[in-house]
Amino acid sequence: MQVQITVNKKPRTDEVEPRQLLVHYLRDTAGLKATNVGCDTTSCGACTVLLDGVSVKSCTVLTAQADGGTVVTVEGLGGTADGGQMHPVQSAFREEHGLQCGFCTPGMVMASVGLLSENPNPTEHEVREGLEGNYCRCTGYHNILRAVLLAAQSPDAGKPEAQVSA
Amino acid sequence: MIPAPFDYVRATSAEHILELMAQHGDEAKLLAGGHSLLPMMKVRLASPTVLIDIASVPELSYVKVDGDDLVIGATTSHATVANSDLIQADAPLLSYAAAQIGDPQIRHRGTIGGSLAHSDPAADLPMTLVALDGTFELLGPSGTRSVKAEDFFIGYFETALEHDEIISAVRVPRRPGVGWGYEKFTRRANDWAIVGIATVAGRVAMANMGSIPARPVATEQALAGGQGIAEAAALAADGIEPAGDMHATTAYRQHLARVLTRRALETAASRNQA
Amino acid sequence: MSILGTRVVRNEDPELLTKGGTYTDDLIDERLDGAAHLIFVRSPVAHARILSIDTSEALKLPGVVAVYTAADVDLPIINPPMPMFNQDMTQTPLASDKVRYVGEPVAIVVCDDPYIREDAAELVEVEYDILPAVIGMPNAAKDEVLLWESVGTNTVVDFGTPDDLDPNLFDDCEVVVSHLIQNQRIHPAPMESRSGAASWPEGERLTAWIPSQGAQGAKAALAAQLGIDAAEVHVLTPDVGGAFGARFGADVEMVLTAWVAGKLHRPMRWSETRYENLLAMTHGRAQEQRVTIGGSRDGNMKKYRLEVLADCGAYPKIGGILPSLTRLMTPGTYVFDKAESIAKAVVTNTTPIGAYRGAGRPEATAAIERAVDIFAAEIGMDPADVRRKNLVPKFTEPHLTAFGALYDSGDYETALNKALEAANYEDLRKEQQLRRERGDAKQLGIGMSSYVEITGAGSESGDPNENATVEVHPDGTVTILTGTSPHGQGHATAWAMMASDTLGIGIDKITVIHGDTDLIPKGGGTGGSRSLQQGGMAVQKASIELVDIARTRAAELLEANEADLQFNIDDSGFSVAGVPSSTVTLAKLAEKERLFINAVFAAPGATFPFGAHLAVVEVDVETGKATLERIFCVDDAGVVMNPLLFDGQRHGGIAQGAAQAFLEEFIYDEDGNPLTASFADYPFLSATEVPSFDLVSMVTPTTYNPMGVKGVGEAGTIGATPAVQNAVVDAVSHLGVRHIDMPTSPRVVWEAIEAARSNSNSNGKVA
């Protein structure tokens, strides 16, 4: 079947199998390899992207369901794809050492952007609850929490297109 | 993990859904958020050959007031239910319960109708709708019929839905200011309830205490008869024999039911402004 | 000012944050163009004879390239990896006559399109004759049902026997307490499941991409299991999404991926589902321990005995050797008149056991720290006081234990006191007393651990050494080749800091390369918390030697005596004393002739970091649910080279350690069916189950390397687990509870409370 999806601001038209999962569309059809599959069971959140502005687990969404929609992955955050700066959430994850092996990171960052879009000034507790669907084995979440709280100091950290100043 | 192959068709109206269901019969499954169905398809516990996507049918997604009731369209997402001002004011138990489902990503995709039609006794919404004394509107070829929540759930993943029917809406009584309590006992925040309790206005329903949301009749009768919360809650597991699993034995579930019922009733009493 | 010891953010991060890492499944490489995709048909039963395998239906599916079973695979038998193991417990890469655990590979299906892999695997029909499963170490030790009938026993190895135990050990003890303790099976659960890729064109060498903790070890294992010369193998390590001890060597799936690539002369890719990962990546821990401790009522601990029964799973792997490490660390941080330990390792019909963060040492600490608390409870003494009374006093010269461990430096009492002070221990005890008196539903538990562990015991090849090559290029950039194998630890930053500090070149100009066996033939990989103290030290040593070489060349160039040359860190160059205009940079020197050196740093031995953790939990005594409120951690791993990375390692370990104490367990039913084979069922810790961690610093340098560093990667899983477990028990100790096995899940805690209540009721006491 044919789908039309805007991925990281670029409209695409692709022929896909009805059973294709959105995460495989992003990785294999669109060639965006940052979004990872961590668990297959909608548990770990490594595959989190923004679909029509809200965070979703792309391993549990069919490409077909996203037909006509807009997707943002970590590659499309901030301005680095066009030579610009990192998004405030990306920058804060680096500053606070909110990542180690990096495998959960694209999903964790997208979930954080989604969280901040809905709640720009979360408390510690709200950050923890807001990321309950994203697993990390390396950091114990300590620095992820700090990173999200740091990013929240940027007023537009909930907007995918936001960039830190150079 | 990838589902077995299937055909995908997107419905454009409620009428279209019924047509597609008639056309494809038992081979078809309805897809709304897909957060109950797709996980089962990925592990191949379900392999429908046609998926009818009802998520973009406009007349199935809404929250509105209808006299003494709130009416919620079947494909309204958990996030919308959780954040709706109308529901928070008139049926706060429902918005709270919706906010306890899964995690934010799941709440963005999962729908109220999908969760109820899935009929998982450990889930948040079935017990909540039973406690709320909700009513489901079931749309079929011969029109719409209403079924009480407590009559809707028949067994594990089994409901009163006929094969050619869909849930079109969920109706709950408006009860602003009436105290309510909700206890979801889990090991981790995003787990299914080991035992869950929802209570409002003297009705109590329990998650994961059997194949359908359980009603502790003895507790409700004791409350109606004027007994105190502690006495009534002590009866919460009477006649209820939940199965054991790796998280809980039958006896432990029964014990949790008593403790959590007491806590939920205490919370409800403290919140009551009616 | 030296960059060493300062907080430096990572060089790795911009790419990981904006493009994502390049994990094996993400590889785009022309050598893999046109690759086919493998899937393994795995045993759904724990113990069975294979009667027949029918691959015909799978072969009919369009897009299926080939299907292989054990009959097709002409590879060497896999022998148990340690000479002291029972050598008859052999394995074939694909199960041949028998399957021995759920998840064991039985057949390979090769497909053009990854989307049909699962469709095809479902079509392979295997007929099994089901045998009784051996589940549980005591059952295995009975030898009633055998995994290898011809071997005659399920025992893999004995480290001492009951005859070695002193029957009179506890004769002089006023008080003797004993308890059976479970150190449960857990899954390493890196976020990236396993995968692999291979290219093996006819007449050429094999190139294999293996996400591992050490390409060189993976290469050796791969060559051995393929039965070919190691020179025929080139191993590359893509980015690795976590390992935690479970990614050393080459798993059979990777060997078979390479084998199929060679058989079909077509590139192959393999990646597993999380379900497969939970079944077939090695598990960790899985010990049953009997601790017995004796002493006097004034709190003097005199004797200690640890008897270990360890599960190897279905095939003896590294897990079989770990009880010897547990044994080595038997007495922990304490002085005993005598301590003794024996261990036995057995096979069961479960997933094989391998290393998991700490690997044998956490099990030792968990045992002794529980034993101390049980002893303290028996004599009615504060567990902090009992510990203080019995700790090995501060030492600066190496301390040799009766078990042969040579602790390099330590000050255990200071570590414990720092943890107690940070937590305001006395106040916590007062708060606990208040809650007990009020009969609150939420009771407070305070638990502590004192630990010492082993880091940098050796590389995979044995000796505690590592090599590094450092090269300065004419453009002023630097390349470092390291034999370590980072997968989250930050070596690209840390090794750049080491070189930068000596060479005077900014870390943004330094590239660190690892995991390519052609470029870096030797290396011990990353594991056992060895990397900084050996690999980092090798980078520093190479950098220093590089400056020495450069000095000789600069002397020639500047026509000066070497002794008159000064190396200036600020501009990365030499100048002649007294002649300010006469200078040359390292980059300039590299223009004439390549400027590089390989150096090996050899440590005199392992180092023994130590510390103390104090956990504060709340236990809801009505439901049994325990919640971790605070955890105060003193982790002394010597000098700190980058506090950001150092603390990051602690955080992750603390979380994993706490998760073992109160959440995680990989569970089998009595037939060997796994009950926790998805992340929906395996209780992976989320952000909502842990607090932020309170880290307390303490630095006791080692003399074993110039910087004074030890390893910190495993501190958290060693210190936190017993602290949290002790805290949960402590929260309900006033109800008569003396011990609760891990994981201290709500049901287990509630049942312990109920048992204690009915026990004290039957004794005529008031609960």
Side-chain angles (χ1 to χ4, degrees):
Chain A
M1 64 178 291
Q2 196 180 70
V3 293
Q4 294 186 317
I5 302 174
T6 300
V7 182
N8 295 339
K9 292 187 244 169
K10 296 190 184 79
R12 300 177 55 94
T13 303
D14 295 289
E15 195 63 36
V16 302
E17 255 194 281
R19 64 168 164 168
Q20 190 191 47
L21 303 172
L22 180 61
V23 67
H24 294 131
Y25 172 78
L26 295 168
R27 289 178 53 83
D28 301 332
T29 307
L32 295 166
K33 301 282 191 188
T35 306
N36 292 317
V37 177
C39 74
D40 306 303
T41 50
T42 338
S43 309
C44 80
C47 63
T48 300
V49 299
L50 299 184
L51 172 60
D52 296 331
V54 299
S55 58
V56 303
K57 294 184 174 177
S58 62
C59 79
T60 310
V61 177
L62 299 172
T63 308
Q65 290 176 287
D67 186 17
T70 299
V71 175
V72 183
T73 72
V74 83
E75 291 104 325
L77 269 192
T80 52
D82 307 314
Q85 300 299 313
M86 284 202 276
H87 185 274
V89 171
Q90 291 170 321
S91 172
F93 267 70
R94 185 185 191 203
E95 183 55 36
E96 292 293 350
H97 192 30
L99 66 158
Q100 290 183 28
C101 82
F103 194 85
C104 76
T105 306
M108 192 70 77
V109 166
M110 296 315 293
S112 301
V113 174
L115 165 66
L116 293 172
S117 75
E118 294 173 28
N119 181 358
N121 290 298
T123 62
E124 280 194 29
H125 181 71
E126 287 167 346
V127 174
R128 288 189 180 279
E129 297 241 302
L131 297 178
E132 68 183 317
N134 289 79
Y135 294 170
C136 170
R137 193 63 159 175
C138 296
T139 65
Y141 306 101
H142 184 104
N143 285 343
I144 288 174
L145 173 81
R146 293 166 61 105
V148 177
L149 293 173
L150 175 64
Q153 293 177 16
S154 285
D156 52 0
K159 295 179 186 150
E161 66 280 9
Q163 299 181 35
V164 293
S165 43
Chain B
M1 286 185 174
I2 294 151
F6 55 83
D7 290 326
Y8 171 91
V9 52
R10 200 180 267 198
T12 53
S13 68
E15 199 180 338
H16 191 204
I17 298 172
L18 297 179
E19 279 171 33
L20 289 167
M21 288 172 77
Q23 187 186 336
H24 295 290
D26 290 345
E27 298 296 292
K29 284 265 189 193
L30 297 181
L31 178 73
H35 274 47
S36 300
L37 181 59
L38 292 177
M40 292 183 55
M41 290 174 64
K42 285 168 71 178
V43 297
R44 305 200 174 193
L45 288 172
S47 298
T49 57
V50 179
L51 284 187
I52 302 170
D53 186 346
I54 65 169
S56 43
V57 171
E59 64 259 42
L60 290 181
S61 179
Y62 58 86
V63 178
K64 69 182 183 194
V65 173
D66 180 16
D68 292 337
D69 289 345
L70 278 177
V71 191
I72 300 142
T75 63
T76 308
S77 74
H78 302 316
T80 302
V81 172
N83 295 321
S84 159
D85 291 341
L86 279 178
I87 302 175
Q88 285 180 358
D90 289 351
L93 170 59
L94 178 58
S95 55
Y96 183 85
Q100 308 312 307
I101 297 169
D103 55 51
Q105 294 97 313
I106 287 170
R107 295 194 288 273
H108 287 142
R109 295 293 297 172
T111 65
I112 186 169
S115 174
L116 294 168
H118 188 56
S119 186
D120 183 333
D124 294 84
L125 292 184
M127 72 161 168
T128 301
L129 269 296
V130 169
L132 283 164
D133 199 14
T135 305
F136 304 155
E137 293 181 359
L138 310 187
L139 175 66
S142 50
T144 300
R145 66 182 175 118
S146 293
V147 175
K148 283 276 186 193
E150 59 189 272
D151 300 325
F152 179 79
F153 302 105
I154 293 174
Y156 286 106
F157 312 113
E158 258 193 282
T159 70
L161 273 171
E162 295 294 337
H163 66 92
D164 54 359
E165 284 182 323
I166 64 165
I167 299 180
S168 59
V170 175
R171 189 175 277 273
V172 297
R174 298 170 65 196
R175 276 187 285 225
V178 175
W180 56 278
Y182 195 90
E183 293 285 335
K184 181 179 183 180
F185 191 77
T186 60
R187 294 177 70 193
R188 299 176 300 167
N190 57 355
D191 276 336
W192 299 93
I194 294 174
V195 172
I197 308 291
T199 181
V200 61
R203 281 173 70 93
V204 182
M206 309 196 286
N208 219 358
M209 288 292 287
S211 61
I212 59 171
R215 291 274 299 282
V217 178
T219 296
E220 291 183 348
Q221 285 174 348
L223 288 171
Q227 289 199 47
I229 286 174
E231 291 76 13
L235 309 172
D238 285 15
I240 299 174
E241 286 271 336
D245 58 27
M246 67 177 168
H247 301 300
T249 56
T250 299
Y252 180 51
R253 279 213 161 83
Q254 290 171 327
H255 168 77
L256 286 175
R258 290 186 284 267
V259 172
L260 300 173
T261 297
R262 192 195 77 226
R263 291 181 181 180
L265 289 170
E266 284 168 355
T267 307
S270 72
R271 282 194 180 120
N272 209 0
Q273 302 155 16
Chain C
M1 192 188 105
S2 170
I3 192 172
L4 302 183
T6 66
R7 182 187 194 274
V8 177
V9 298
R10 297 201 313 176
N11 280 348
E12 297 81 338
D13 292 352
E15 174 137 343
L16 292 173
L17 283 160
T18 63
K19 299 192 184 91
T22 303
Y23 305 97
T24 301
D25 226 17
D26 302 335
L27 284 171
I28 296 171
D29 189 297
E30 61 182 15
R31 289 167 287 186
L32 292 171
D33 286 350
H37 299 261
L38 297 185
I39 187 168
F40 291 90
V41 177
R42 296 180 182 276
S43 173
V45 293
H47 196 195
R49 260 176 250 293
I50 299 173
L51 298 178
S52 66
I53 305 178
D54 182 352
T55 62
S56 57
E57 287 302 312
L59 281 164
K60 284 181 202 160
L61 187 75
V64 170
V65 176
V67 183
Y68 299 110
T69 68
D72 305 309
V73 178
D74 52 349
L75 290 175
I77 281 173
I78 302 163
N79 292 308
M82 298 286 168
M84 69 282 263
F85 290 180
N86 191 318
Q87 287 297 309
D88 296 326
M89 294 177 173
T90 60
Q91 180 181 9
T92 49
L94 288 176
S96 47
D97 57 328
K98 270 177 102 176
V99 288
R100 293 188 176 85
Y101 67 98
V102 173
E104 182 168 0
V106 173
I108 304 167
V109 182
V110 186
C111 304
D112 285 322
D113 174 358
Y115 254 62
I116 68 162
R117 278 178 300 184
E118 289 167 53
D119 306 341
E122 281 186 334
L123 297 174
V124 175
E125 295 272 341
V126 186
E127 200 183 347
Y128 295 102
D129 174 24
I130 311 257
L131 300 168
V134 181
I135 299 297
M137 299 158 252
N139 282 338
K142 287 179 200 158
D143 285 340
E144 288 169 2
V145 177
L146 298 171
L147 271 70
W148 283 265
E149 290 83 356
S150 61
V151 173
T153 178
N154 289 322
T155 294
V156 173
V157 59
D158 283 300
F159 300 98
T161 70
D163 292 342
D164 298 325
L165 299 175
D166 177 357
N168 305 314
L169 183 67
F170 297 101
D171 284 0
D172 64 343
C173 294
E174 242 183 308
V175 182
V176 181
V177 280
S178 184
H179 218 291
L180 195 65
I181 292 174
Q182 301 297 331
N183 202 295
Q184 81 276 25
R185 169 186 292 256
I186 49 186
H187 191 274
M191 286 304 297
E192 184 198 16
S193 291
R194 294 175 307 160
S195 53
S199 166
W200 201 349
E202 193 154 14
E204 294 184 27
R205 288 195 311 161
L206 163 67
T207 304
W209 291 261
I210 298 177
S212 79
Q213 293 177 243
Q216 296 78 12
K219 172 180 158 175
L222 191 59
Q225 291 188 49
L226 288 168
I228 61 174
D229 193 297
E232 295 302 309
V233 181
H234 181 199
V235 170
L236 293 160
T237 311
D239 282 337
V240 178
F244 311 110
R247 293 204 209 254
F248 270 116
D251 291 352
V252 288
E253 291 91 341
M254 291 157 195
V255 174
L256 289 165
T257 300
W259 177 79
V260 176
K263 190 156 183 81
L264 294 178
H265 298 304
R266 180 173 172 183
M268 288 291 144
R269 286 177 182 267
W270 165 65
S271 63
E272 66 183 356
T273 61
R274 178 59 69 181
Y275 172 71
E276 292 177 277
N277 177 259
L278 283 157
L279 294 182
M281 178 178 241
T282 50
H283 293 173
R285 309 286 188 262
Q287 287 189 5
E288 182 171 296
Q289 305 166 327
R290 163 67 64 181
V291 295
T292 310
I293 187 165
S296 54
R297 294 214 165 267
D298 65 1
N300 184 21
M301 306 189 311
K302 291 178 165 172
K303 303 289 176 62
Y304 176 54
R305 175 183 290 163
L306 171 63
E307 296 158 272
V308 175
L309 194 51
D311 196 341
C312 288
Y315 294 97
K317 306 277 178 203
I318 293 302
I321 200 72
L322 299 180
S324 69
L325 277 178
T326 305
R327 222 172 140 241
L328 180 64
M329 297 310 288
T330 296
T333 53
Y334 304 100
V335 180
F336 288 98
D337 293 348
K338 187 174 177 189
E340 58 183 27
S341 174
I342 59 171
K344 174 191 276 297
V346 294
V347 283
T348 61
N349 289 119
T350 59
T351 298
I353 295 291
Y356 173 63
R357 203 168 193 170
R361 297 104 76 199
E363 295 90 324
T365 304
I368 183 72
E369 289 304 301
R370 271 287 49 236
V372 172
D373 264 31
I374 291 169
F375 179 76
E378 182 69 24
I379 60 171
M381 204 165 155
D382 188 310
D385 292 335
V386 173
R387 282 181 173 79
R388 284 199 193 98
K389 210 174 166 84
N390 292 280
L391 287 169
V392 176
K394 179 179 177 175
F395 57 96
T396 49
E397 292 298 313
H399 167 90
L400 183 66
T401 74
F403 290 81
L406 190 66
Y407 298 174
D408 61 317
S409 60
D411 183 358
Y412 308 138
E413 187 169 352
T414 300
L416 179 64
N417 287 339
K418 277 174 172 276
L420 296 169
E421 281 160 26
N424 287 318
Y425 183 64
E426 299 304 325
D427 291 350
L428 286 171
R429 286 286 178 209
K430 283 179 196 151
E431 167 71 17
Q432 178 183 52
Q433 192 53 37
L434 278 174
R435 291 196 195 193
R436 287 179 174 183
E437 285 163 8
R438 288 197 303 256
D440 287 3
K442 302 268 176 72
Q443 288 292 325
L444 201 67
I446 306 146
M448 66 198 77
S449 70
S450 166
Y451 74 86
V452 56
E453 62 132 338
I454 319 168
T455 67
S459 69
E460 227 184 334
S461 52
D463 298 326
N465 63 56
E466 189 51 86
N467 79 103
T469 301
V470 176
E471 174 162 12
V472 176
H473 304 290
D475 64 357
T477 62
V478 176
T479 303
I480 297 171
L481 306 178
T482 178
T484 65
S485 192
H487 40 281
Q489 292 84 353
H491 297 178
T493 305
W495 292 187
M497 289 169 67
M498 300 299 291
S500 173
D501 182 61
T502 300
L503 303 176
I505 294 173
I507 64 163
D508 55 329
K509 292 187 173 161
I510 302 177
T511 303
V512 178
I513 295 173
H514 74 276
D516 181 328
T517 57
D518 279 3
L519 286 176
I520 308 156
K522 289 185 178 170
T526 286
S529 303
R530 65 181 293 272
S531 292
L532 175 61
Q533 57 189 313
Q534 291 161 21
M537 288 304 109
V539 172
Q540 186 182 59
K541 188 174 178 210
S543 302
I544 291 167
E545 291 179 4
L546 193 73
V547 172
D548 288 342
I549 295 172
R551 184 185 303 274
T552 305
R553 294 197 202 164
E556 285 174 23
L557 193 78
L558 298 175
E559 295 176 346
N561 285 326
E562 282 184 40
D564 294 334
L565 290 182
Q566 289 177 338
F567 184 69
N568 307 311
I569 285 284
D570 292 342
D571 50 11
S572 184
F574 294 95
S575 59
V576 182
V579 191
S581 59
S582 192
T583 63
V584 62
T585 63
L586 295 178
K588 191 77 185 165
L589 289 168
E591 282 177 9
K592 294 195 74 173
E593 185 185 349
R594 279 184 68 188
L595 182 58
F596 73 101
I597 190 168
N598 177 270
V600 175
F601 177 81
T607 56
F608 289 76
F610 60 92
H613 288 198
L614 187 142
V616 183
V617 303
E618 244 181 30
V619 173
D620 182 336
V621 295
E622 290 186 331
T623 65
K625 183 165 175 168
T627 313
L628 181 61
E629 298 294 317
R630 301 285 294 272
I631 184 161
F632 301 86
C633 304
V634 180
D635 298 303
D636 188 332
V639 172
V640 176
M641 75 92 66
N642 182 342
L644 198 69
L645 302 180
F646 185 83
D647 288 350
Q649 287 294 310
R650 297 166 75 189
H651 294 149
I654 293 162
Q656 283 176 257
Q660 181 182 6
F662 71 101
L663 271 176
E664 289 186 31
E665 180 174 24
F666 197 95
I667 303 172
Y668 290 93
D669 71 12
E670 60 190 11
D671 297 322
N673 300 305
L675 303 181
T676 48
S678 80
F679 273 179
D681 295 312
Y682 188 79
F684 198 109
L685 186 82
S686 89
T688 48
E689 282 78 51
V690 275
S692 293
F693 311 123
D694 292 279
L695 304 186
V696 183
S697 74
M698 178 168 171
V699 175
T700 304
T702 182
T703 58
Y704 285 15
N705 58 68
M707 245 188 107
V709 297
K710 307 185 189 183
V712 75
E714 294 151 296
T717 52
I718 292 167
T721 305
V724 173
Q725 186 186 14
N726 281 342
V728 174
V729 177
D730 181 65
V732 293
S733 62
H734 64 300
L735 304 174
V737 175
R738 282 289 170 83
H739 176 75
I740 302 172
D741 271 323
M742 300 187 292
T744 56
S745 69
R747 174 181 61 80
V748 171
V749 173
W750 178 72
E751 285 173 355
I753 295 168
E754 289 296 296
R757 278 188 173 137
S758 66
N759 206 11
S760 53
N761 284 342
S762 65
N763 291 343
K765 293 182 211 154
V766 179

